[in-house]
């Protein structure tokens, strides 16, 4: 099966390949025994394939009922699911649903709901482990708010982790949001928080695995307001 690489990783993979070739070719030409060069080449190949795996970019479609659906914005593991107060934009109590992405997960991020982007903001910050609760407010992060066709507001927050050093957010105010489209990308280990209106029916629990753009994590109540 042909692997599609996300455009965010193209330059990184080219540069990394060049570096690995510069390291490995002289070993094969001048270092003996050949076992040393072979060992380094195997490690290099495994490392390169791990990075390729990180930047893979699958095209996905949601095949369920799209009405009021909330889909996972990221591949990973549910690490938080609780009622909390969202203080940046919504200014009300919401359901927080957080998914942690390891370096082995796809790191493209999908829109969680259909609608219109009404707010985006990038925040500089720290780079503590993304699974820690404080990472939601202290790490580098990017906030996106989407208004659904029914007028409900859903806030999505991309959070950098201990290894992540760049958050990419494609969404801009006025853009159309679709659960089948990429909203952004986070490089190397990170987390995505969703803030959903109280009354949203939740279909996952802590520890569950999610697939971005595919896993139905909840369904908005038609009369719930954020």
């Amino acid at each position: 099966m042909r692997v599609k690489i996300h455009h965010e990783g193209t330059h990184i993979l080219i540069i990394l390949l060049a570096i690995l070739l510069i390291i490995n070719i002289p070993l094969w030409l001048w270092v003996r025994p050949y076992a040393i060069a072979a060992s380094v080449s195997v490690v290099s190949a495994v490392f390169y394939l791990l990075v390729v795996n990180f930047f893979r970019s699958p095209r996905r479609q949601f095949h369920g009922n799209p009405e009021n659906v909330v889909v996972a914005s990221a591949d990973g593991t549910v690490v938080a699911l609780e009622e909390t107060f969202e203080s940046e934009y919504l200014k009300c109590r919401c359901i927080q649903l957080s998914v942690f992405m390891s370096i082995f997960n796809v790191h493209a991020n999908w829109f969680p709901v259909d609608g219109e982007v009404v707010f985006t903001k990038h925040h500089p910050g720290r780079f503590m482990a993304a699974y820690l609760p404080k990472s939601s407010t202290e790490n580098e992060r990017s906030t996106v708010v989407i208004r659904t066709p029914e007028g409900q507001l859903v806030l999505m927050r991309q959070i950098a982790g201990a290894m992540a050093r760049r958050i990419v957010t494609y969404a801009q105010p006025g853009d159309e949001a679709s659960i089948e489209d990429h909203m952004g990308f986070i490089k190397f280990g990170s987390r995505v928080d969703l803030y959903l209106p109280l009354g949203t029916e939740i279909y996952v629990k802590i520890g569950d695995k999610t697939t971005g753009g595919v896993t139905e994590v909840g369904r908005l109540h038609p009369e719930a307001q954020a």
Side-chain angles (χ1 to χ4, degrees):
M1 181 182 295
R2 182 173 177 267
V3 178
K4 182 179 179 182
I5 301 300
H6 199 283
H7 64 83
E8 295 293 342
T10 303
H11 290 159
I12 291 176
L13 290 172
I14 291 173
I15 293 172
L16 179 59
L17 179 61
I19 292 172
L20 293 176
L21 289 174
I22 290 171
I23 293 172
N24 281 268
I25 290 175
L27 292 177
W28 283 101
L29 292 176
W30 297 306
V31 175
R32 299 294 181 270
Y34 285 120
I36 296 175
S39 299
V40 174
S41 294
V42 169
V43 173
S44 299
V46 171
F47 177 70
Y48 190 77
L49 289 175
L50 285 174
V51 178
V52 169
N53 182 69
F54 174 87
F55 282 111
R56 66 194 188 280
S57 180
R59 182 67 181 176
R60 295 171 178 168
Q61 290 185 319
F62 178 73
H63 295 291
N65 177 8
E67 185 176 2
N68 295 314
V69 71
V70 182
V71 300
S73 287
D75 290 14
T77 304
V78 178
V79 294
L81 182 58
E82 60 185 356
E83 183 179 324
T84 189
F85 185 82
E86 200 295 305
S87 60
E88 180 182 0
Y89 185 91
L90 300 177
K91 309 292 185 183
C92 67
R93 297 199 69 78
C94 309
I95 298 173
Q96 178 184 342
L97 193 163
S98 303
V99 172
F100 174 74
M101 293 172 279
S102 76
I103 60 172
F104 300 106
N105 291 126
V106 170
H107 271 56
N109 301 145
W110 281 258
F111 285 106
V113 293
D114 292 336
E116 179 187 359
V117 178
V118 296
F119 174 83
T120 62
K121 187 173 183 178
H122 180 82
H123 303 266
R126 301 169 63 185
F127 295 98
M128 68 176 72
Y131 58 80
L132 296 174
K134 286 186 177 181
S135 67
S136 294
T137 56
E138 296 187 15
N139 277 22
E140 179 177 345
R141 58 203 181 276
S142 184
T143 299
V144 176
V145 180
I146 304 155
R147 180 184 290 114
T148 70
E150 291 74 27
Q152 300 178 84
L153 297 177
V154 171
L155 186 147
M156 174 182 174
R157 184 168 290 136
Q158 299 169 286
I159 301 168
M163 295 181 63
R165 287 297 183 270
R166 188 180 179 209
I167 294 174
V168 183
T169 304
Y170 307 134
Q172 295 297 323
D175 288 353
E176 179 182 353
S178 169
I179 58 176
E180 294 188 353
D181 290 340
H182 287 170
M183 190 283 293
F185 196 95
I186 315 178
K187 297 183 179 181
F188 300 111
S190 43
R191 166 174 166 169
V192 172
D193 291 350
L194 297 182
Y195 291 85
L196 307 169
L198 296 180
T200 300
E201 187 175 3
I202 302 298
Y203 299 146
V204 294
K205 61 184 182 301
I206 291 178
D208 283 356
K209 303 296 183 181
T210 63
T211 301
V214 174
T215 302
E216 186 173 342
V217 298
R219 194 165 292 273
L220 300 173
H221 192 280
E223 297 179 359
Q225 294 294 326

